[in-house]
Amino acid sequence: MSALNESPIPVPEAPRPDIDPAEGIAFIDGDYRPLREAKISVLDFGFTRSDCTFDTLKVWDGKYFCRDLHLDRFLTSCETLRLDLPVTRKELIEIQDECVRRSGLRRALVKPICTRGVAVPGSRDPRDATPNFFAYAQPYSDTIKKEVQDRGLNMIVASAPRISPDAVDPKIKNYNRLDFVAGLFEAFDRGGDNVLMPDEDGNITEGPGFNVFVVRDGEAVTPHRGMLEGITRTVTFKLCEELQIKTHVAPVPTADLKGADEVFITSTAGGIMPVTAIDGEPLNGGQPGPKTEQIRDLYWAKHDDPEWTTSIDY
Ligand code: PLP
């Protein structure tokens, strides 16, 4: 148990008159600060070892979308990594709500983060560090730019595999992303918009910030292994059920992508986004597919549905 669990949340500082809070507000070292001034120690194992986890929630028109699914995933990730989160779930919710409230943002991305923290001097032992909790709200932005979404993405399949899930568990949302960074540069060099990573057997896993679905004969298939179990992926299963589109969780060989009727990617920041070419070869005549559009429309309709949303008291 840390001190934060035993004491009330610290009284925040007054807002800074010289900075627009709509640029984002962070909770760091027990205080609320302008996002641009939220900086962590270079000694934090979260930085030096990527020993940390985080989540990304969406606030849409003043309401969280699927808030509790994100919080469940975040808390499970902390537990799996043996990160002793220094706040309770209730305190976490109060803190992230306060970040949004202070920013005044109606459309935002909200990130809770837990890092291993700084160890006692001279120690490289993770047990000698005290975990840190941070959170921030920043203006909403899509994973993929709107204009690229509207025409559909040209997705490149990387030549190198994603980090093995046996080495780093991708179900824990993490910042071990050098494979993605190399993949992105490769995709840009090859004239693509973004990248999909294969595993060592040539099956597709995911991309930097999104899951992938392939539509074939009217049914949607998504990879079974090697990726984060995205909240939007889970939401897509529910939307497809409502739309009577069958879904399958199964290996997706790279070759199946090119023969697909449609491909789309899913992410909290952007929702359901059409892929219209793989390695420069058009899918569905280079147009977003009809099933993709159907799922996408229903996805955005759910953002007004009280069953899927949690209002913030501004
Ligand atoms: N895969 C990775 C590696 C991600 O970072 C993300 C989200 O940022 C996703 C998939 C999609 O997850 P979600 O739908 O929960 O946003």
Side-chain angles (χ1 to χ4, degrees), residues 54-56 70 73 111 143 162 170 173-174 177 180 206-211 227-234 266-269:
F54 72 106
D55 217 291
T56 305
H70 285 278
R73 179 171 69 182
K111 296 193 194 249
T143 303
R162 174 118 175 77
K173 204 163 155 73
N174 65 64
R177 292 182 177 225
F180 283 148
E206 60 182 343
F210 49 83
N211 292 110
M227 72 301 134
L228 179 75
E229 291 178 352
I231 304 302
T232 323
R233 176 179 178 268
T234 304
T266 65
S267 174
T268 296

Side-chain angles (χ1 to χ4, degrees), residues 174-188:
N174 65 64
Y175 286 131
N176 283 269
R177 292 182 177 225
L178 290 184
D179 54 348
F180 283 148
V181 175
L184 271 175
F185 276 115
E186 180 185 349
F188 300 147

Side-chain angles (χ1 to χ4, degrees), residues 38 52 130 145 147 162 181 190 192-193 202 216 230-231 259 269 300:
C52 59
T130 307
K145 286 186 191 128
E147 61 269 25
R162 174 118 175 77
V181 175
R190 289 167 58 192
D193 297 308
R216 217 180 301 123
I231 304 302
W300 286 105

Side-chain angles (χ1 to χ4, degrees), residues 121-299:
S123 174
R124 289 164 175 74
D125 184 337
R127 295 169 301 181
D128 289 338
T130 307
N132 280 320
F133 172 70
F134 311 100
Y136 62 86
Q138 65 184 156
Y140 176 82
S141 64
D142 285 340
T143 303
I144 307 293
K145 286 186 191 128
K146 225 21 226 172
E147 61 269 25
V148 177
Q149 282 186 50
D150 289 345
R151 69 163 155 77
L153 288 109
N154 174 18
M155 199 61 96
I156 302 298
V157 178
S159 51
R162 174 118 175 77
I163 296 169
S164 165
D166 296 328
V168 176
D169 184 354
K171 295 201 287 304
I172 297 167
K173 204 163 155 73
N174 65 64
Y175 286 131
N176 283 269
R177 292 182 177 225
L178 290 184
D179 54 348
F180 283 148
V181 175
L184 271 175
F185 276 115
E186 180 185 349
F188 300 147
D189 288 348
R190 289 167 58 192
D193 297 308
N194 215 298
V195 71
L196 283 172
M197 307 296 295
D199 64 14
E200 274 157 1
D201 299 321
N203 294 314
I204 293 301
T205 60
E206 60 182 343
F210 49 83
N211 292 110
V212 62
F213 283 77
V214 169
V215 180
R216 217 180 301 123
D217 302 327
E219 301 185 350
V221 190
T222 194
H224 70 309
R225 184 170 184 268
M227 72 301 134
L228 179 75
E229 291 178 352
I231 304 302
T232 323
R233 176 179 178 268
T234 304
V235 164
T236 302
F237 296 146
K238 295 186 189 168
L239 301 175
C240 284
E241 203 180 322
E242 206 172 314
L243 293 167
Q244 298 184 333
I245 298 169
K246 272 201 181 141
T247 53
H248 305 276
V249 175
V252 176
T254 303
D256 282 13
L257 280 178
K258 293 187 182 165
D261 299 328
E262 302 177 31
V263 174
F264 62 87
I265 58 171
T266 65
S267 174
T268 296
I272 314 291
M273 298 170 276
V275 175
T276 51
I278 303 289
D279 291 341
E281 290 176 31
L283 292 166
N284 189 49
Q287 296 300 314
K291 293 267 187 271
T292 305
E293 296 290 35
Q294 222 185 337
I295 301 164
R296 192 187 199 184
D297 289 348
L298 186 58
Y299 173 82

